[in-house]
Amino acid sequence: MNLIFLGPPGAGKGTHASRLMAQEQIPQISTGDMLRKSIREGTSLGLKAKQFIDAGELVPDEVVIGLVKERLKEADCQKGFILDGFPRTVEQAEALSSFVKIDKVVNIFLADEIILKRLSGRRVCPSCNGTFHVSRLADEKICPDCGKDLIQRKDDQPETIKNRLDVYARQTAPLIAYYQAKGLLVTVPGDGSVDENYQGILKVLGINE
Ligand code: AMP
């Protein structure tokens, strides 16, 4: 199954994609994670991407399209994949359709006020890649899964969050109508508990847990 998870930042795309990856044994392809890895490794692509990510802007289309195109050629993607955070513009969606067939686009819907709360309280573990909300952590500095220090992503600071939401509304939200017109869109609520939201996704995909 070739899937796209669409939705604003903080909607839970990454959390649900990672769970579905484990359940269905298909890779989660997160362009955000790939770009952050390039930044950590200090590659020329990482250097180029950093300024855009830190400002909450989108990295240029040609950069992410190239990344995804190469990744989808790998063996583990041949029986399906979950794209998480890509495409984010109509140009990216058009390019994607030229090299792969998409089966379904899961659009996770969430109101802006909830997104703001979620993202400003989000902490991530750079070691095991876990994502947590401060309200659920006994110690907001320590990863409950692996014990390493948690960090707040630079682009989860309040000013950058606002910009990311604007960017989403302007550049990414048009993909909802784009995929609806292609008959590929299914919309699920993103405002329940993680389990409830995940069950909603399984249901629209026709998957049993
Ligand atoms: P994410 O982890 O998906 O929230 O992505 C973090 C940041 O990486 C975004 O705010 C963008 O700056 C950049 N990014 C991730 N995916 C894309 C994409 N498909 N197109 C452009 N920029 C992207």
Side-chain angles (χ1 to χ4, degrees):
M1 201 164 10
N2 297 345
L3 301 173
I4 293 173
F5 278 13
L6 188 65
K13 299 185 295 294
T15 302
H16 298 309
S18 131
R19 199 158 159 181
L20 193 62
M21 164 173 78
Q23 184 178 331
E24 295 296 299
Q25 303 289 303
I26 52 174
Q28 166 191 16
I29 300 173
S30 158
T31 39
D33 284 349
M34 291 162 90
L35 293 166
R36 282 185 289 276
K37 182 164 177 271
S38 305
I39 294 174
R40 280 198 303 277
E41 291 171 350
T43 66
S44 61
L45 188 147
L47 286 175
K48 209 192 259 179
K50 188 175 185 327
Q51 50 181 321
F52 296 99
I53 294 185
D54 286 351
E57 297 290 339
L58 294 186
V59 173
D61 284 337
E62 65 274 14
V63 174
V64 278
I65 290 169
L67 265 184
V68 172
K69 190 172 181 181
E70 286 311 304
R71 179 68 184 89
L72 291 180
K73 285 182 189 158
E74 288 176 32
D76 64 333
C77 298
Q78 304 318 309
K79 64 180 177 66
F81 52 80
I82 311 157
L83 285 170
D84 155 17
F86 182 94
R88 261 177 155 100
T89 63
V90 171
E91 288 72 15
Q92 292 177 18
E94 290 283 325
L96 180 68
S97 69
S98 73
F99 50 82
V100 81
K101 181 180 166 294
I102 295 299
D103 297 312
K104 262 196 182 120
V105 179
V106 178
N107 173 39
I108 308 175
F109 176 78
L110 197 64
D112 279 5
E113 348 31 298
I114 306 180
I115 296 173
L116 273 171
K117 270 194 207 142
R118 275 199 192 167
L119 292 183
S120 53
R122 178 159 75 175
R123 297 294 180 271
V124 293
C125 175
S127 179
C128 73
N129 227 13
T131 299
F132 311 93
H133 193 272
V134 285
S135 61
R136 292 174 169 268
L137 289 167
D139 180 340
E140 51 178 81
K141 293 198 172 66
I142 306 290
C143 175
D145 288 348
C146 74
K148 296 274 163 50
D149 287 350
L150 292 173
I151 56 163
Q152 180 173 36
R153 279 169 46 171
K154 240 190 190 150
D155 59 349
D156 280 346
Q157 314 279 343
E159 269 317 299
T160 317
I161 294 174
K162 268 177 60 196
N163 194 35
R164 287 166 71 201
L165 290 178
D166 284 349
V167 167
Y168 175 79
R170 261 185 295 120
Q171 297 185 263
T172 308
L175 289 177
I176 296 173
Y178 175 90
Y179 282 119
Q180 183 127 46
K182 293 191 182 300
L184 296 176
L185 194 84
V186 283
T187 295
V188 294
D191 59 352
S193 69
V194 174
D195 276 343
E196 282 164 355
N197 297 339
Y198 185 65
Q199 293 305 325
I201 291 174
L202 294 183
K203 197 166 163 206
V204 293
L205 293 177
I207 297 174
N208 295 315
E209 196 158 21

